[in-house]
Amino acid sequence: MAKILIAYASMSGNTEEIAELIKSNFEPFDYDIDIEKIEHLDIQKLVEYDGILLGVYTWGNGDLPYEVEDFYDEIENVDLTGKKLRSSVLVIVLILSFVQLLIYWRKN
C-alpha cells in the first residue's frame, strides 16, 4: 500500500478543505494517507512517503506564504529521489494535479 502525504498551507480554509476532499477521494483506493499543515511538518519524514502532495494558497503578488518559508528553505536538504511529488498554488490546478497524480499512481 502506497503511503501518501498531503501537506498544505491555508489561510482562509479553502486549501485545507480541498486537501481534505482529496484525502476522502483517495481513501477508497486503499492508500495510507496522512494530512498535515506544512508549518507543522517534520521535513525529514518526507522520505517515509511514496507520494507527496503539496498545496498552498496564493498571497500578494504570488509571494510564498510565511508558513511555507522554512519548508522551502529546508527541502533542499532532503533527498527525494524517486518520490512522486506534486505541488500547486492555484486551487483549481491543485485539484487537477491531484486527479492526474491519482490516475498516474493507479496505472503504475
Side-chain angles (χ1 to χ4, degrees), residues 29 44 58 71 78 89 101:
F29 297 101
Q44 297 304 319
T58 57
F71 177 87
V78 179
V89 175
L101 184 62

CSV table of all heavy atoms in Angstrom, one decimal, residues 29 44 58 71 78 89 101:
chain,number,residue,atom,x,y,z
A,29,PHE,N,-9.2,3.9,-2.5
A,29,PHE,CA,-8.2,3.2,-3.2
A,29,PHE,C,-7.2,2.5,-2.3
A,29,PHE,O,-6.1,2.1,-2.8
A,29,PHE,CB,-7.5,4.1,-4.2
A,29,PHE,CG,-8.4,4.6,-5.3
A,29,PHE,CD1,-9.0,5.9,-5.2
A,29,PHE,CD2,-8.8,3.8,-6.4
A,29,PHE,CE1,-9.8,6.4,-6.2
A,29,PHE,CE2,-9.7,4.3,-7.3
A,29,PHE,CZ,-10.2,5.6,-7.2
A,44,GLN,N,12.1,16.0,7.6
A,44,GLN,CA,12.9,14.8,7.5
A,44,GLN,C,12.1,13.6,7.3
A,44,GLN,O,12.5,12.6,6.8
A,44,GLN,CB,13.9,14.6,8.7
A,44,GLN,CG,14.9,15.8,8.8
A,44,GLN,CD,15.7,16.0,7.6
A,44,GLN,OE1,16.2,15.0,7.0
A,44,GLN,NE2,16.0,17.2,7.3
A,58,THR,N,-2.5,31.3,-2.6
A,58,THR,CA,-1.8,32.5,-3.2
A,58,THR,C,-1.8,33.6,-2.2
A,58,THR,O,-2.6,33.8,-1.3
A,58,THR,CB,-2.5,32.9,-4.5
A,58,THR,OG1,-3.9,33.3,-4.2
A,58,THR,CG2,-2.5,31.8,-5.5
A,71,PHE,N,9.9,25.5,5.3
A,71,PHE,CA,9.8,24.3,4.5
A,71,PHE,C,10.5,24.5,3.2
A,71,PHE,O,11.3,23.6,2.8
A,71,PHE,CB,8.3,24.0,4.2
A,71,PHE,CG,8.1,22.8,3.3
A,71,PHE,CD1,8.0,21.5,3.9
A,71,PHE,CD2,8.0,22.9,1.9
A,71,PHE,CE1,7.8,20.4,3.0
A,71,PHE,CE2,7.8,21.9,1.1
A,71,PHE,CZ,7.7,20.6,1.7
A,78,VAL,N,16.7,17.6,1.7
A,78,VAL,CA,16.1,16.3,1.8
A,78,VAL,C,16.2,15.6,0.4
A,78,VAL,O,15.9,16.2,-0.6
A,78,VAL,CB,14.6,16.4,2.2
A,78,VAL,CG1,14.0,15.1,2.3
A,78,VAL,CG2,14.5,17.2,3.5
A,89,VAL,N,-0.2,25.9,-6.7
A,89,VAL,CA,-0.6,27.1,-6.0
A,89,VAL,C,-2.1,27.4,-6.1
A,89,VAL,O,-2.7,27.7,-5.1
A,89,VAL,CB,0.3,28.3,-6.5
A,89,VAL,CG1,-0.1,29.6,-5.8
A,89,VAL,CG2,1.8,28.0,-6.2
A,101,LEU,N,-2.4,12.8,-10.7
A,101,LEU,CA,-1.5,12.0,-9.9
A,101,LEU,C,-2.1,10.7,-9.5
A,101,LEU,O,-1.5,9.6,-9.6
A,101,LEU,CB,-1.0,12.8,-8.6
A,101,LEU,CG,0.0,12.1,-7.7
A,101,LEU,CD1,1.3,11.8,-8.5
A,101,LEU,CD2,0.3,12.9,-6.5
